[in-house]
Amino acid sequence: MKKIMLLSLTAALMLSSCASKKDLLACQTENKELSANLQSAREDLAAKNARVQSLEEQLASSRKAMTSMKAQTDKLQASLDKSLTNASQNNISIEKLVDQINESNQYIRHLVEVKSKSDSLNLVLTNNLTRSLSKEELKEVDVQVLKGVVYISLADNMLYESGTYKINNRAAETLSKIAKIIKDYKDYDVLIEGNTDNVPISRENIRNNWDLSCLRASSVVQALQTQYGVDPKRLTAGGRGEYNPLQPNTTEVGKQRNRRTQIIITPKLDEFMDLIGEAPKTE
């Protein structure tokens, strides 16, 4: 009888032990899932905070541009008033003055048309690119237009293997979409600009953040050329190290925003130089 009771007690303890192990494993699994969800939520919040900051910067830039345009308009009005006064004082013929004003107005209209065309192309470009990117890609790719230039900012952790300038497999699809846009808009030049945070780095063949930013930009340029067929004559690679921060490097969010590669799409410089050469001569 005692033996039967002892066996029953042993079996009960074993069953209890098995149940405890099962509960422990379930708790560990649940803990891992919760930790992963928490990390994902933190990354999503950081990306959204970065996007809010970017939109605030765009709004500030637009307000600044409007202020500048008003100042230019006021300056033009003052110049016109001065011309009318000088014409009256110096007995310049009204016909000659009208010709000068018409020539200036024609040049201004030409500038407005060029800017309007450029703005329209930039808007179409950014819309096409934004529509082609997935919801997940948009968390790490920021597209905006500032002063007639399209800026595509990509987070370093989506482009490169950690602490290196080697492009990872995850970036291939995103770069292919950007390359298609670049190839569709042949009248634009492209500058690839690497940026880092201020955390020092020293590895084999990478002396500092200057090296890292330049090497990363060069990696993207070569990928666009060799893998996606972008004309290398349109491409320029450059690095700015830690010296072009978007935010102070005092927080993880700030460092995350500063570690980026920008693909900057600009109208060809020679077109602007030709436009400047067409400016009307004043007497």
Side-chain angles (χ1 to χ4, degrees):
M1 185 68 178
K2 287 182 179 180
K3 287 183 178 179
I4 294 172
M5 289 179 64
L6 184 61
L7 288 172
S8 299
L9 182 60
T10 303
L13 287 172
M14 289 178 66
L15 288 172
S16 175
S17 175
C18 290
S20 297
K21 287 182 179 178
K22 213 182 256 188
D23 290 341
L24 178 61
L25 288 173
C27 288
Q28 289 176 337
T29 301
E30 185 179 3
N31 184 54
K32 285 182 181 179
E33 291 177 355
L34 290 172
S35 296
N37 291 338
L38 177 61
Q39 182 61 29
S40 177
R42 284 174 175 169
E43 292 175 356
D44 189 44
L45 178 61
K48 287 179 178 176
N49 286 338
R51 182 59 178 165
V52 168
Q53 179 67 25
S54 173
L55 292 173
E56 288 176 347
E57 290 170 359
Q58 284 185 259
L59 178 60
S61 177
S62 297
R63 286 173 175 169
K64 186 176 179 181
M66 290 177 64
T67 302
S68 176
M69 187 173 292
K70 184 178 184 304
Q72 292 175 7
T73 303
D74 292 342
K75 186 177 180 181
L76 182 61
Q77 183 63 52
S79 177
L80 181 58
D81 292 342
K82 184 177 179 181
S83 296
L84 290 169
T85 302
N86 290 339
S88 176
Q89 292 175 349
N90 299 323
N91 295 321
I92 298 176
S93 69
I94 296 299
E95 290 80 3
K96 185 175 182 180
L97 181 61
V98 169
D99 289 341
Q100 290 178 357
I101 293 173
N102 287 339
E103 187 177 0
S104 296
N105 287 339
Q106 185 177 1
Y107 177 62
I108 292 171
R109 282 196 298 271
H110 183 43
L111 285 177
V112 170
E113 288 172 3
V114 170
K115 186 179 184 305
S116 177
K117 180 181 178 183
S118 176
D119 289 346
S120 297
L121 285 172
N122 288 340
L123 181 61
V124 173
L125 187 156
T126 54
N127 284 342
N128 287 347
L129 177 58
T130 302
R131 280 200 300 266
S132 72
L133 296 173
S134 68
K135 183 179 178 181
E136 290 302 312
E137 287 173 319
L138 285 172
K139 291 180 181 179
E140 297 175 300
V141 180
D142 181 39
V143 185
Q144 57 180 296
V145 179
L146 295 173
K147 297 180 180 179
V149 177
V150 178
Y151 290 83
I152 305 169
S153 187
L154 302 100
D156 71 326
N157 59 348
M158 78 158 295
L159 271 180
Y160 313 104
E161 295 182 6
S162 179
T164 75
Y165 53 90
K166 183 179 179 181
I167 295 177
N168 61 37
N169 295 330
R170 180 172 163 231
E173 185 175 353
T174 303
L175 282 179
S176 69
K177 294 174 182 178
I178 294 173
K180 183 181 184 307
I181 293 294
I182 292 173
K183 290 166 70 175
D184 286 344
Y185 292 83
K186 301 183 185 297
D187 293 331
Y188 286 72
D189 284 331
V190 183
L191 168 64
I192 313 299
E193 181 184 274
N195 295 269
T196 71
D197 58 23
N198 66 345
V199 178
I201 184 170
S202 181
R203 298 190 179 186
E204 187 178 357
N205 299 324
I206 305 177
R207 295 168 296 182
N208 49 42
N209 283 328
W210 276 115
D211 278 358
L212 181 60
S213 64
C214 291
L215 288 167
R216 284 182 165 179
S218 179
S219 292
V220 174
V221 161
Q222 292 179 67
L224 290 174
Q225 175 189 354
T226 59
Q227 296 179 38
Y228 306 109
V230 177
D231 183 356
K233 294 178 181 177
R234 298 173 56 197
L235 299 172
T236 301
R240 302 188 69 176
E242 64 198 68
Y243 301 104
N244 184 38
L246 293 176
Q247 290 187 355
N249 285 293
T250 52
T251 65
E252 284 304 314
V253 172
K255 290 178 181 178
Q256 181 184 20
R257 286 214 67 200
N258 295 334
R259 296 192 302 266
R260 69 202 187 281
T261 295
Q262 289 188 307
I263 299 177
I264 304 171
I265 304 175
T266 63
K268 291 185 181 294
L269 182 61
D270 55 0
E271 293 180 6
F272 280 96
M273 296 306 294
D274 291 342
L275 185 60
I276 292 172
E278 297 173 6
K281 298 178 180 179
T282 57
E283 296 180 4

